[in-house]
Amino acid sequence: MMHHDSNTTIATSGDVHVLNIWECPSLIFFPISKFPSTLKKLEIRDCARLESISEKMFHFNNSSLECLVISRYPYLKIIPDCLHKLRELDIYNCENVELLPHQLQNLTALTSLTISHCENIKTSLFQWGLATLTSLKHLTIARIFPQVASFSEGQRLPLLPTNLIYISIKDFQNLKSLSSLALQILTSLEKLWIQCCPKLQSFCPREGLPDTLSQLYIRDCPLLKQRC
């Protein structure tokens, strides 16, 4: 169990499946050398001085960790390249994090990915290689690439896996078009959310949207309001 205060201690008895490290502004070092081999979910929030997690903190060929949630963690720079069994990865408000394409592409079991308010990510969406993640069902991207007007970079290859069920796109201040996402080929898509994209002029491809789409939510996109 992890107590979320400045005097954080860890007491382990039996198998540890969930470890939450919350609101520890004075915590600098992890008080354990390795996370438990039985760990299924790791969540780190509001730890302004905590050292970055690294591969050495996980057991070799770690096969148990399925969910990693990280928020307001300034020392995090990259995701450890050993978490190939992850099913859920959520990263919020991490100003120094960088996504390395090969690391994302190794997450072949990933079903849900959220990257939000990480404005210093330099690797373009095209380079993430999400189209190879055939298990991915839920995708949320928000307030990254503050200057981008389109995700394509002139490329024609698919950016997203066709089996996505849910997509949420939020807080892109200069985004003008979603045409490069080729939404029409996402033949499993059921929910599409678009929020706070003030310059977005077009989201629907000429070919239309998938017949499977049952929920379309658009908010705070004034140019789309005029057109629709």
Side-chain angles (χ1 to χ4, degrees):
M1 178 177 65
M2 173 66 73
H3 302 285
H4 51 283
D5 57 36
S6 58
N7 296 314
T8 296
T9 59
I10 293 180
T12 61
S13 59
D15 294 340
V16 177
H17 299 295
V18 178
L19 177 58
N20 297 327
I21 307 174
W22 297 344
E23 300 174 12
C24 302
S26 300
L27 184 63
I28 299 176
F29 303 105
F30 286 95
I32 51 177
S33 58
K34 287 185 182 292
F35 294 117
S37 61
T38 56
L39 196 62
K40 292 183 178 296
K41 180 178 179 180
L42 173 62
E43 186 169 338
I44 303 174
R45 296 179 183 269
D46 295 290
C47 297
R49 302 174 64 193
L50 184 62
E51 66 180 1
S52 183
I53 52 176
S54 64
E55 294 177 24
K56 67 181 181 180
M57 306 183 72
F58 296 89
H59 292 266
F60 181 71
N61 287 336
N62 181 282
S63 59
S64 61
L65 192 67
E66 297 179 352
C67 178
L68 178 61
V69 180
I70 297 177
S71 177
R72 290 180 290 276
Y73 185 3
Y75 280 96
L76 181 72
K77 293 185 178 180
I78 60 174
I79 301 301
D81 193 15
C82 61
L83 306 179
H84 300 164
K85 300 297 183 180
L86 273 183
R87 296 177 58 83
E88 180 180 347
L89 174 60
D90 298 342
I91 304 176
Y92 305 86
N93 297 95
C94 295
E95 61 264 34
N96 293 312
V97 73
E98 183 55 87
L99 296 180
L100 302 181
H102 76 277
Q103 292 179 318
L104 281 177
Q105 292 162 25
N106 285 336
L107 301 180
T108 55
L110 203 65
T111 62
S112 177
L113 174 63
T114 297
I115 307 293
S116 176
H117 292 67
C118 301
E119 297 186 7
N120 288 325
I121 290 177
K122 302 296 190 295
T123 306
S124 69
L125 186 65
F126 171 75
Q127 293 175 302
W128 289 13
L130 296 182
T132 64
L133 302 182
T134 56
S135 296
L136 193 65
K137 304 295 184 184
H138 296 80
L139 174 65
T140 296
I141 51 176
R143 194 169 289 188
I144 52 177
F145 314 130
Q147 304 304 320
V148 74
S150 172
F151 294 123
S152 69
E153 293 188 341
Q155 304 292 336
R156 295 182 178 273
L157 295 176
L159 298 184
L160 304 177
T162 58
N163 46 288
L164 278 172
I165 293 175
Y166 170 89
I167 300 176
S168 178
I169 299 170
K170 304 177 185 178
D171 294 310
F172 284 86
Q173 296 303 305
N174 288 290
L175 187 65
K176 295 182 178 180
S177 173
L178 297 180
S179 60
S180 59
L181 296 183
L183 297 174
Q184 74 278 6
I185 70 171
L186 305 182
T187 52
S188 297
L189 189 64
E190 298 177 3
K191 300 178 182 180
L192 176 61
W193 285 49
I194 305 171
Q195 294 178 249
C196 300
C197 298
K199 295 185 180 180
L200 188 62
Q201 302 173 7
S202 172
F203 75 94
C204 185
R206 293 180 181 179
E207 297 84 356
L209 294 169
D211 293 337
T212 54
L213 191 69
S214 59
Q215 295 185 28
L216 174 60
Y217 180 86
I218 302 175
R219 179 176 179 179
D220 297 325
C221 300
L223 299 183
L224 288 184
K225 182 177 180 179
Q226 296 173 14
R227 289 172 175 258
C228 301

